[in-house]
Structures are given as structure tokens and as C-alpha cells.
Amino acid sequence: MKLSRQSSVGVLQRLGLALLALPALAFANADVEKNIANSKNWATQAGDMFNQRYSKLNQINKNNVGKMQVAWTFSTGVLRGHEGSPLVIDGTMYLHTPFPNKVFALDLDTQKIKWKYEPKQDPAVIPQMCCDTVNRGLAYAEGKVILQQADSMLVALDAKTGKVIWQTKNGDPKLGAVNTNAPHVFKDKVITGISGGEWGVRGFIAAYNLSDGKLAWKGYSVGPDAEMLIDPEKTMTWTDGQMKPVGKDSSLKTWQGDQWKIGGGTTWGWYSYDKATNLMYYGTGNPSTWNPSQRPGDNKWSMTIFARDLDTGVAKWVYQMTPFDEWDFDGINEMILADIDVKGKPTKALVHFDRNGFAYTMDRVTGALLVAEKYDPVVNWATHVDMKTGRPQVVSKYSTAQNGPDVNTKGICPAALGTKDQQPASFDPETKLFYVPTNHVCMDYEPFKVEYTAGQPYVGATLSMYPAPGSHGGMGNYITWNAGTGKIVQSKAEKFSVWSGSLNTAGGLSCYGTLEGYLKCVDKNDIKKELFKFKTPSGIIGNVFTYEHKGKQYMGVFSGIGGWAGIGMAAGLEKDQDGLGAVGGYRELSQYTELGGSLTVFALPN
């Protein structure tokens, strides 16, 4: 639905509110729910719609994981970074690769390839991808395998044959609007986002019909209310210690002129869904450009947690984590939904570990801010989050806007890639703790003036990255986090950033990969107790997953160095400040691993 600005708000109020007034249909996609309920499957990227990344399987457990061996491997035939994980549905595994985004269906009895799909994409899309040619995986529902290609084509494949059922174009790669995210299926919708904040792409979230691929609704991150599917009177935000309506033109008022049209707020992360509220949750990315002096204002609603009605797309509540971002603290990390005690009170919570170094606990129904605390002690750009206003209290010394263009602001923690980037954390319903792979990296940041040219990089900052000074000397920590109190419970130091998604199991394990290439499993009650360690063929930026086939539990992970942290190796970059500062920061990686692209699957010996 496209509305003129003049009529949009009124129409939205008349029609959108009428839709909101309808009782929420408390159904998720029944097929996806069925597949998730069978713990032998790994039916979604996070194992469920809450993004908890927890498995009930316990054949591999803390008493025997030390005996785990490689069961089989599979080369994807593609180098570059391998993020995400395969899916397993009823005896078939579906794998994806980075660009050119090949998809394989494997028979788990024999590991034989049942079918392969390789889209024909213009290689010109590769230089339009800011931080490696990664892809974060597939979705599956009702006999369809859903692929979000780099060139922005959203494709539904027949799960039995690999043939295309429908496809639709989600963006224009010539303008930098590419895709790296995994699509998600909630109810009868396929949800996808867009990448390209470093190209000045205006971010949005889009819902397509699972049945035919037609657009159901599209909500932008910034701009006029109607195009954002924001209701000025009903969309709420945290204000003066309570939830209040955002008011008219809440985004437009916070941008100078038409800067919002190239204002970023892209949506390349993970999405979650609660059928009880019929709300889907996600975060928006950095405002464009990285030079804050060119876009004065809060730049709403970049850097924001959105809760949208799944049927209409209308935003129920929003919360901006980093108003007027000055450091590229992209807000796209996953929202984990969990029912936990918050300050002693049972709460339907949303927990988010943001790039800016603060972990947020929200009431996922109302959007109220409950907890906001640092999850790495070295975070220094803000002293704390004011719990009444919800705003971080910025330290002037680390303000790149205050220091101005062409001034190198040094010693900012965390670095632009955040205390955590896209690598998903897990939640364990037994320990009630969150298991978080983190970066322990700081930076120097020098903004400079940049002109916008359609289809060209629009960054406007030079960065250098390095391990957090005065700390353990490494660039990563694996931590457990109490989201009810906002405190680190345990922290395990790692030499490099932990760029792999974690997995917790009923077997008492918490497992993750390292950039050097190790798959590690630790005791989830004492994460400093390492129970298993194996060096895979390349660095790991994929997410650990598990499944059961014919009575045997397996655990697997992609290896294939790349992503932002490994962009130097993946793309052959040499200068320290290339890769937006990551090349110099992670230069030592080449002493520990090489390029690759493979899946390693483990099991206990017979």
C-alpha cells in the first residue's frame, strides 16, 4: 500500500487502527511449529521463533562430549565467510553458501546430494557488499526452502526438487541494496530485510506472502509515518520513565532536511516472533553516513528495536538504543525472547545484546525498558543508560561528533563491530542464563566529509581496531549473562573475537566456534570448564547446531573464515585500515587459519 504524505496518516489511523483493533490470531506457521516441536530437526536458524538456540537433545552431554568425533564432512566449494547454519527437516539437510548462494539438499542416510540450486547472479553485486559476501541461511516451511540472495532476489524453492516456485525482487543492488540476512517464516509471511547502510540505503523490513511471494507490507526504518507504518497516537516509546505515543513525524523531526532519504537504518540481522502477542521483533542499523556531523539530530528510528504487528506491519512500540550514533553501533543484533524473572518479577522479556556494549532487557509486550547494563567492563563511550530517558550518557572524550571531522578520536570501546556483532547468543531455560559470544575490541575513529553518490560507498570515517588495552590481551570473551539483574555471571577469555553463534543443550553443554577454527563445548554451569575442543579446516563464523538422525545425535558447524572480522583474509585486503579497520585488527588470524568452506559434523563413536 503506497500512500501520499498528505493523506497517509489519516488513512493509517482509519484503516491501520481498525486492523490493530482486531483480535490477534494467535497462530504461528503450523508447519514450522510442527518441525520445531520435533527436537530431532533443526528447523529454523535459531532452532525456534524465540531465537533461543537451545536443543532438548541430550545424547551428547557433559559426561561424554569429550569422546565426540568427526562423523562426516561436506565441502561447499565456496571460499569466503560461512555464517548461519544448515537446516535439518525429517532426514534432509539444507545447506547454503556465501555468494553465489548455492543451496544443497543432502540425504542424511548417505550424505548424497539430492539436488543443488545455484542462482545466476551478476558478480557486480560482490563489491556492493560492505563486509564480505556472507549469507546467514535458509528458511523452511510448507515444502518450500526460502533463500534470500545477495542480489536481493527472494526465492522459494521446492524442497523436494530444488526448482523455483516463486521469486521476487527485494531491492536494487546497483544502489547498494543487497542482502546477507536469513529470511524468516512467521505465520503466512516470509520476513526479510535489506543491507547497505554503508551505501546510504534507506532500511526497511518487508513481509511477503509465503504462498505466492507477493508483498504483504513494507515498513521503513526512517522517514514519514505512513511509510514507516507508524501510528503517531498508538505506536509507543519509552519516555520519561513510561510508555508514551511517539507523536507525529517522530522520525522526520530528528533529521536535517532530506538526509533521511539516504539515512540507513538497514535490517540485516535476525528476527523473532511471539505468537501470543502476534508481534515480530528486530533491530535497525546505523544511520548514514558514519560522519555524524553531516546528520545532526537523533536520526530516529535508526539504531532501534521495533515490535511490529505481523499481520499489518504497524509498529506497536519502538526504542532507540543509540540516538545520533557517532560510532557505527549498528543495532541489528537479534532479539531473544524469554520468560524470566526481572528484578524478582516474572516477565515476558526481550533481551538484546547491542553493538554499543549495553545489554537491554525490555518488556516485550509493552516495550518498557527494564534493564540496560554493560556486558563488557571496558565499554567507555557512555557511562550508563539513564533509565528514565532511556538515553546513554555519552562521555565527551569519546564523542566523534563533539571532536569533529578530521579529528582522530582514540581509545573508544567497543570498536565499530561492537561488543557483539551478528553472532547470535543462546538462552538456556534450565540455567535461565544467556550465553554470549563477544568482541573485546576498541578503536580509533576519524570522521570526514563525504558526498553521497548513488551506488557508491557512503562511509565517511577511517578506523583502526585493536584488543581492549589493559585487559587480558585477547579480542574476545565468552560470557554468561543474567538479564534479570544485568550482570556478567562468568567470563571466559578468547584470543580472538567469538564470531560464532552459540548453542545450548539439555545435555548440559554450551558450544561455540572460534575464529582460529576451534569448535568448543563447555559446561553450561561453569563455562570455564572446557570439555571438548576440535580444530576444523578454517576459522568459524558459523552457528553451532544439532539434530538427531536414526537414534543418533549429531552436532555441526560451518567453518570458513570471513565476515567483517575475517574480511582481510576473505577478500585479500592488506592495508590496516581496509575492511573498515578490521584488516589491521585481525591481521594475526592468518597465523592460525586459512580460507575454506566446509561443514563438519560430529557424533559420539558407535
Side-chain angles (χ1 to χ4, degrees):
M1 180 171 62
K2 187 173 182 179
L3 303 173
S4 69
R5 185 174 172 186
Q6 289 76 15
S7 62
S8 57
V9 173
V11 172
L12 185 65
Q13 288 174 332
R14 291 194 298 276
L15 298 182
L17 292 182
L19 287 169
L20 273 180
L22 294 173
L25 299 173
F27 300 102
N29 183 291
D31 188 56
V32 177
E33 280 195 302
K34 174 177 69 75
N35 290 329
I36 289 173
N38 181 357
S39 56
K40 296 177 182 177
N41 292 329
W42 190 255
T44 66
Q45 284 297 315
D48 60 27
M49 298 187 198
F50 274 26
N51 274 341
Q52 292 190 350
R53 304 192 51 74
Y54 173 82
S55 171
K56 295 178 181 175
L57 299 181
N58 60 8
Q59 187 181 90
I60 300 171
N61 56 57
K62 65 181 182 181
N63 295 319
N64 59 28
V65 69
K67 298 177 183 176
M68 200 163 66
Q69 299 175 346
V70 174
W72 58 279
T73 63
F74 182 82
S75 171
T76 67
V78 181
L79 301 178
R80 309 286 296 239
H82 282 57
E83 293 185 346
S85 73
L87 301 179
V88 174
I89 315 287
D90 299 335
T92 299
M93 179 180 288
Y94 302 94
L95 290 84
H96 67 284
T97 76
F99 186 92
N101 305 138
K102 292 193 284 187
V103 180
F104 299 91
L106 301 184
D107 184 332
L108 286 180
D109 287 339
T110 60
Q111 292 94 51
K112 183 180 178 183
I113 298 173
K114 296 170 76 171
W115 54 259
K116 180 173 77 171
Y117 172 75
E118 184 169 353
K120 297 186 187 309
Q121 298 187 72
D122 185 345
V125 74
I126 294 174
Q128 298 291 72
M129 305 178 78
C130 90
C131 312
D132 202 6
T133 59
V134 295
N135 180 283
R136 299 192 185 86
L138 306 166
Y140 179 100
E142 300 177 4
K144 299 183 181 75
V145 175
I146 313 296
L147 167 68
Q148 177 60 79
Q149 295 177 191
D151 65 1
S152 91
M153 292 299 292
L154 182 68
V155 183
L157 305 172
D158 186 312
K160 291 183 179 176
T161 65
K163 297 197 180 305
V164 174
I165 299 173
W166 55 254
Q167 56 185 333
T168 188
K169 189 176 181 182
N170 187 54
D172 185 353
K174 291 181 179 176
L175 299 178
V178 295
N179 274 103
T180 56
N181 64 279
H184 291 58
V185 175
F186 302 138
K187 238 162 127 173
D188 59 348
K189 307 283 194 306
V190 180
I191 307 295
T192 191
I194 198 73
S195 303
E198 281 62 56
W199 269 248
V201 171
R202 182 183 169 214
F204 61 82
I205 200 82
Y208 295 91
N209 296 328
L210 175 63
S211 60
D212 57 13
K214 292 184 178 176
L215 183 67
W217 53 259
K218 184 176 186 177
Y220 283 92
S221 305
V222 300
D225 290 338
E227 294 179 14
M228 297 182 66
L229 303 184
I230 274 187
D231 184 313
E233 302 302 324
K234 297 290 185 182
T235 301
M236 311 292 278
T237 194
W238 187 250
T239 308
D240 297 329
Q242 56 184 306
M243 298 303 292
K244 293 184 179 179
V246 297
K248 187 180 179 184
D249 295 334
S250 59
S251 176
L252 292 177
K253 289 176 179 174
T254 64
W255 292 86
Q256 188 174 68
D258 287 341
Q259 180 72 24
W260 60 271
K261 293 181 178 177
I262 50 172
T266 52
T267 50
W268 50 275
W270 311 92
Y271 322 130
S272 50
Y273 172 65
D274 183 356
K275 71 173 183 178
T277 58
N278 202 40
L279 295 175
M280 62 150 294
Y281 304 91
Y282 68 99
T284 63
N286 56 285
S288 301
T289 122
W290 286 19
N291 177 5
S293 299
Q294 291 183 235
R295 46 172 174 76
D298 277 356
N299 306 146
K300 291 177 178 176
W301 295 97
S302 65
M303 306 301 218
T304 293
I305 300 172
F306 269 84
R308 291 188 185 271
D309 181 276
L310 184 64
D311 295 333
T312 65
V314 175
K316 180 176 181 182
W317 60 262
V318 290
Y319 171 72
Q320 188 176 39
M321 297 163 287
T322 314
F324 187 44
D325 168 60
E326 307 170 44
W327 312 269
D328 182 40
F329 290 152
D330 218 344
I332 61 83
N333 292 351
E334 79 282 6
M335 312 297 158
I336 304 175
L337 313 184
D339 297 341
I340 57 174
D341 285 351
V342 179
K343 298 178 179 176
K345 182 181 176 183
T347 303
K348 290 184 177 298
L350 175 153
V351 177
H352 171 73
F353 299 91
D354 197 61
R355 288 255 287 266
N356 71 11
F358 287 89
Y360 297 85
T361 304
M362 319 281 295
D363 182 319
R364 69 174 182 264
V365 179
T366 66
L369 176 64
L370 304 175
V371 177
E373 297 288 348
K374 297 175 182 178
Y375 63 104
D376 185 344
V378 303
V379 171
N380 63 12
W381 68 277
T383 55
H384 65 286
V385 173
D386 184 310
M387 294 304 290
K388 188 171 182 181
T389 65
R391 297 181 71 96
Q393 301 303 291
V394 176
V395 176
S396 298
K397 177 181 176 183
Y398 301 115
S399 168
T400 69
Q402 176 177 292
N403 296 339
D406 304 318
V407 175
N408 194 12
T409 300
K410 296 187 175 182
I412 305 166
C413 305
L417 42 64
T419 301
K420 189 177 87 65
D421 202 272
Q422 61 76 35
Q423 61 271 41
S426 51
F427 169 72
D428 195 304
E430 295 173 12
T431 64
K432 300 290 185 185
L433 296 175
F434 293 78
Y435 296 72
V436 193
T438 72
N439 312 315
H440 192 55
V441 185
C442 302
M443 68 174 173
D444 302 338
Y445 188 112
E446 182 177 344
F448 57 85
K449 186 176 181 181
V450 61
E451 298 295 332
Y452 174 77
T453 303
Q456 298 296 317
Y458 183 55
V459 177
T462 301
L463 276 64
S464 300
M465 298 185 190
Y466 39 84
S471 186
H472 60 70
M475 301 176 76
N477 289 308
Y478 191 63
I479 70 167
T480 51
W481 177 259
N482 184 328
T485 60
K487 295 188 183 306
I488 296 171
V489 179
Q490 278 192 303
S491 182
K492 179 176 182 292
E494 289 287 349
K495 180 171 181 57
F496 295 105
S497 296
V498 186
W499 208 272
S500 154
S502 58
L503 168 77
N504 272 44
T505 76
L509 301 173
S510 186
C511 303
Y512 61 95
T514 72
L515 282 174
E516 306 102 298
Y518 288 107
L519 173 67
K520 294 185 177 183
C521 290
V522 298
D523 185 330
K524 70 184 185 184
N525 291 307
D526 180 2
I527 62 169
K528 293 189 176 182
K529 195 180 291 182
E530 210 167 85
L531 303 173
F532 177 80
K533 179 179 176 182
F534 183 91
K535 186 81 180 287
T536 63
S538 183
I540 297 175
I541 61 171
N543 303 332
V544 189
F545 70 106
T546 190
Y547 67 95
E548 182 181 318
H549 184 64
K550 292 190 171 176
K552 196 173 184 69
Q553 184 185 355
Y554 297 84
M555 186 177 295
V557 70
F558 276 132
S559 61
I561 193 68
W564 192 355
I567 186 64
M569 295 189 68
L573 305 177
E574 290 290 337
K575 295 178 182 176
D576 282 354
Q577 293 176 333
D578 282 352
L580 301 171
V583 173
Y586 292 88
R587 185 171 295 283
E588 196 180 355
L589 259 181
S590 62
Q591 298 176 24
Y592 291 85
T593 191
E594 255 296 350
L595 299 180
S598 62
L599 173 70
T600 306
V601 179
F602 300 85
L604 295 172
N606 292 322

